[in-house]
Amino acid sequence: MIGLGTIINGAAILGGGLIGLLAGHFLKESIQKIISVAIGLSVVAMSLSGIVSKMLVPVNGEFKTQGTYVIIFALVIGGILGELIDIDAKLETFGEWLKRKSGSEKDASFVNGFVTASLTVCIGAMAVVGSIMDGTKGDYSILLTKSIMDFVIIIAMTATNGKGAIFSAIPVVIFQGSITLLARLLLPILTDAAMNNLSLVGSVLILCVGVNIIADGKFKIKVANLLPALIFAVVAAFIRLG
């Protein structure tokens, strides 16, 4: 069944969120904070792994770097476009709407939890590749693996940031479901080079999410405004950057 992977992923986020919500009532604030730091460090570590794997290439027994210009091109152009559209503000507005509709007006961390969790589980090559595999071959194995990872992440995020994180299931279903439905049209565009660029730039964005989690409000990178960089990462594959 095409689309089953996204359905499973959405259900895993909901299930993990409910468990995290219950667990959060039994955790002291100090424990919640250390869990939040642990999540941030884990996200940073995962993102660095993705960045290094795409940027360092063995050549004649030595490691050479690649992709620097792709990152610069995609982040600068994508960031300008995202800032003009102000995706971050629109995502927060949607979070505020969900906050009102779910009767969570008194939950100060709702919007932050929703935005942070949404970016964490939406960005990344697994979401794109898994959705394409699901849409073209009915193979949801990648999304199943992602669902397990998201399940664990959302448990921790909901325990520390409240129920806003549960609603990250909505953008995940919309994003991955759209790619699944359009998979056959996107397949010719997403060449190996395009997917490598997408994975590299996606890992950089995930790194920004991890930094935001660790910063805990001291400063904020508007990661949502950098999302168009993913489009320009694909474009870069056809203009031979980096």
Side-chain angles (χ1 to χ4, degrees):
M1 174 184 169
I2 291 177
L4 183 59
T6 293
I7 294 172
I8 293 173
N9 203 166
I13 290 172
L14 291 174
L18 291 174
I19 293 173
L21 199 59
L22 291 172
H25 291 300
F26 300 99
L27 298 176
K28 296 190 300 183
E29 185 178 351
S30 60
I31 299 298
Q32 291 182 5
K33 285 184 177 181
I34 197 65
I35 290 175
S36 183
V37 171
I39 294 171
L41 290 172
S42 299
V43 171
V44 167
M46 288 188 295
S47 64
L48 288 176
S49 174
I51 293 169
V52 171
S53 68
K54 297 302 178 184
M55 290 195 73
L56 290 182
V57 180
V59 178
N60 298 324
E62 297 180 351
F63 281 102
K64 303 291 184 181
T65 59
Q66 65 176 16
T68 303
Y69 294 114
V70 171
I71 293 174
I72 296 171
F73 170 76
L75 290 181
V76 171
I77 304 300
I80 291 172
L81 178 59
E83 192 67 29
L84 290 173
I85 301 172
D86 204 354
I87 301 172
D88 186 79
K90 289 177 172 56
L91 191 58
E92 289 193 354
T93 298
F94 182 54
E96 291 287 354
W97 180 81
L98 288 173
K99 181 178 177 179
R100 292 194 302 272
K101 291 297 182 181
S102 62
S104 307
E105 288 88 346
K106 296 181 180 179
D107 186 351
S109 62
F110 185 97
V111 175
N112 181 60
F114 166 69
V115 173
T116 302
S118 296
L119 292 171
T120 303
V121 297
C122 281
I123 301 172
M126 289 184 78
V128 177
V129 176
S131 298
I132 289 175
M133 292 293 289
D134 192 6
T136 55
K137 300 180 180 179
D139 179 1
Y140 58 87
S141 57
I142 294 176
L143 290 183
L144 182 61
T145 301
K146 179 179 179 292
S147 297
I148 296 171
M149 295 170 61
D150 290 350
F151 176 76
V152 176
I153 290 171
I154 294 300
I155 288 177
M157 283 192 164
T158 310
T160 56
N161 289 314
K163 66 171 142 180
I166 301 176
F167 289 89
S168 61
I170 296 174
V172 163
V173 169
I174 293 173
F175 178 65
Q176 292 180 182
S178 298
I179 293 176
T180 298
L181 292 174
L182 298 173
R184 295 188 185 278
L185 295 175
L186 294 173
L187 198 56
I189 301 172
L190 296 176
T191 61
D192 288 344
M195 287 306 304
N196 282 336
N197 289 354
L198 191 63
S199 179
L200 174 58
V201 174
S203 294
V204 174
L205 297 187
I206 293 173
L207 173 63
C208 294
V209 174
V211 170
N212 279 347
I213 295 172
I214 296 171
D216 192 26
K218 295 180 178 65
F219 65 88
K220 177 188 175 184
I221 302 171
K222 294 183 178 180
V223 184
N225 283 355
L226 292 171
L227 287 177
L230 296 173
I231 297 173
F232 289 100
V234 175
V235 172
F238 295 94
I239 57 178
R240 302 181 183 279
L241 284 176

